[in-house]
Amino acid sequence: MTATLSAPTAASWSPDEWEAWRAEVRALAAAKDAVVLAHNYQAPEIQDVADHVGDSLALSRIAATSEASTIVFAGVHFMAETAKILAPEKTVLVPDANAGCSLADTITADQLRAWKAEHPGAVVVSYVNTSAEVKAETDICCTSSNAVEVVESIPADREVLFLPDQFLGAHVQRVTGRTNMRIWMGECHVHAGISPTDLRQSVENAPDAELLVHPECGCATSALWMVSDGQLPTERVHILSTGGMLEEARRTTAKRVLVATEIGMLHQLRQANPVTDFQPVNSRAACPYMKMSTPEKLLRALREGRDEVTVDPVIAARARAAVEAMVAIGTPSPIGE
């Protein structure tokens, strides 16, 4: 590795320096018995050097079944926590321990306990985008791809507390028609920022495009309204998890596809289908927390064994039960968020 790689950022690296970085990442991963996992929202360079790329739950499952003794999770903190919950015997590292999540931060374990006390007997359904402590207070976890299935598995006469994402919750309630479902008013600030105005403008600029919308987005309801109002054909609008988007990208024959989610996802979609033109509904929809896992910090994690993520064993056991309860319900949902 050349000495210039100690520079503050990778922005000015030459092609040779990038190649040296990739070579050292792979060499260190091999030498330290580590598997490198990168979330779909990571920078393209991080995705390309990783052993596996995907959503947080799919990557955590890979972490649990991997023979590697060390997991380096290029993502945000709750994702590394989930990997540790499912693989307690492994060392789990995250390139930057300060990489949080605006959605996970919208509810704490204390807040959830208070909410549960107000609704005794309710079943708590938590999106995997939550802290270990919140998962430990949860009955069943869900992902965006199986949230409907999870809620439908709960007896109709049981009240449901759904958290923390209000837009995903609204989507589930709309699909299931469930009236005894209470929804926490949390949101991912990046997805919430992809607005109905962004959606309408994008559709006006590309009226023949297909549309992929993550259910966390603030524009998901508008997309469905535009379908019901006849502004968009039903067959061209898809409300999908990131894994579902990737599957649709492999299937589509559309010339252009508009994508409403964090812009890091575009790299995977374009790799899956280089013929179709994938464009963001909002080009500014970049998660600053996801981008905290820089090339330099990934290398530091492998070189120095930092930042290690730990979860209290008692909390981990309770959180693991909530995740396993989800997996036990019908489809294991490998495509996750």
Side-chain angles (χ1 to χ4, degrees):
M1 199 68 162
T2 61
T4 53
L5 292 192
S6 61
T9 69
S12 60
W13 288 358
S14 69
D16 286 346
E17 287 169 327
W18 275 111
E19 183 55 40
W21 171 79
R22 287 187 289 269
E24 186 169 1
V25 167
R26 297 313 319 157
L28 284 170
K32 302 202 174 186
D33 191 31
V35 61
V36 179
L37 309 179
H39 190 270
N40 289 319
Y41 296 161
Q42 289 291 300
E45 297 83 5
I46 302 279
Q47 293 187 38
D48 289 345
V49 81
D51 293 290
H52 302 281
V53 180
D55 67 84
S56 67
L57 188 61
L59 292 176
S60 292
R61 287 198 177 109
I62 290 170
T65 58
S66 172
E67 294 182 359
S69 60
T70 297
I71 310 300
V72 182
F73 207 129
V76 296
H77 195 268
F78 83 79
M79 298 177 182
E81 274 191 340
T82 306
K84 185 66 176 179
I85 288 166
L86 295 178
E89 76 287 356
K90 298 181 188 296
T91 298
V92 178
L93 307 175
V94 63
D96 192 325
N98 294 315
C101 171
S102 61
L103 176 58
D105 287 347
T106 61
I107 188 167
T108 65
D110 285 342
Q111 288 173 315
L112 177 51
R113 281 188 285 267
W115 200 28
K116 288 165 66 173
E118 295 171 2
H119 303 277
V123 178
V124 177
V125 178
S126 292
Y127 193 20
V128 293
N129 296 34
T130 47
S131 69
E133 289 82 3
V134 167
K135 288 183 179 73
E137 295 294 331
T138 295
D139 295 302
I140 310 173
C141 284
C142 72
T143 69
S144 61
S145 62
N146 72 359
V148 169
E149 186 178 17
V150 167
V151 170
E152 286 181 337
S153 75
I154 299 167
D157 61 347
R158 294 286 301 277
E159 189 175 27
V160 174
L161 303 183
F162 188 95
L163 63 105
D165 190 84
Q166 61 180 306
F167 298 113
L168 178 59
H171 171 69
V172 172
Q173 191 166 44
R174 183 168 53 241
V175 173
T176 63
R178 193 154 191 140
T179 57
N180 60 346
M181 180 175 164
R182 296 181 181 272
I183 301 169
W184 190 261
M185 298 302 287
E187 64 181 29
C188 160
H189 76 286
V190 176
H191 281 102
I194 305 175
S195 69
T197 301
D198 295 327
L199 179 68
R200 285 192 293 270
Q201 187 63 56
S202 296
V203 170
E204 287 175 8
N205 293 340
D208 296 327
E210 205 170 285
L211 183 62
L212 306 183
V213 181
H214 195 283
E216 282 183 40
C217 285
C219 65
T221 300
S222 290
L224 294 175
W225 181 84
M226 291 173 78
V227 169
S228 66
D229 196 45
Q231 298 180 50
L232 286 172
T234 303
E235 66 275 9
R236 292 216 315 266
V237 178
H238 310 278
I239 310 295
L240 296 168
S241 65
T242 55
M245 288 182 179
L246 195 55
E247 290 189 345
E248 182 60 28
R250 295 187 181 112
R251 285 194 299 261
T252 188
T253 57
K255 292 182 179 179
R256 182 179 296 185
V257 173
L258 302 174
V259 182
T261 192
E262 208 274 355
I263 58 175
M265 188 64 203
L266 293 167
H267 184 60
Q268 285 297 306
L269 299 178
R270 289 163 178 165
Q271 285 191 322
N273 181 350
V275 175
T276 295
D277 179 20
F278 293 93
Q279 293 297 327
V281 168
N282 183 334
S283 61
R284 302 176 304 283
C287 175
Y289 300 111
M290 281 289 180
K291 301 330 184 215
M292 288 173 72
S293 291
T294 63
E296 301 93 330
K297 290 175 184 175
L298 175 60
L299 194 57
R300 182 188 69 180
L302 284 162
R303 282 174 172 170
E304 302 176 18
R306 52 179 296 195
D307 293 330
E308 184 171 358
V309 173
T310 60
V311 179
D312 178 273
V314 174
I315 290 174
R318 293 172 60 198
R320 191 179 309 117
V323 175
E324 289 173 348
M326 174 193 72
V327 174
I329 294 171
T331 308
S333 185
I335 58 177
E337 299 153 2

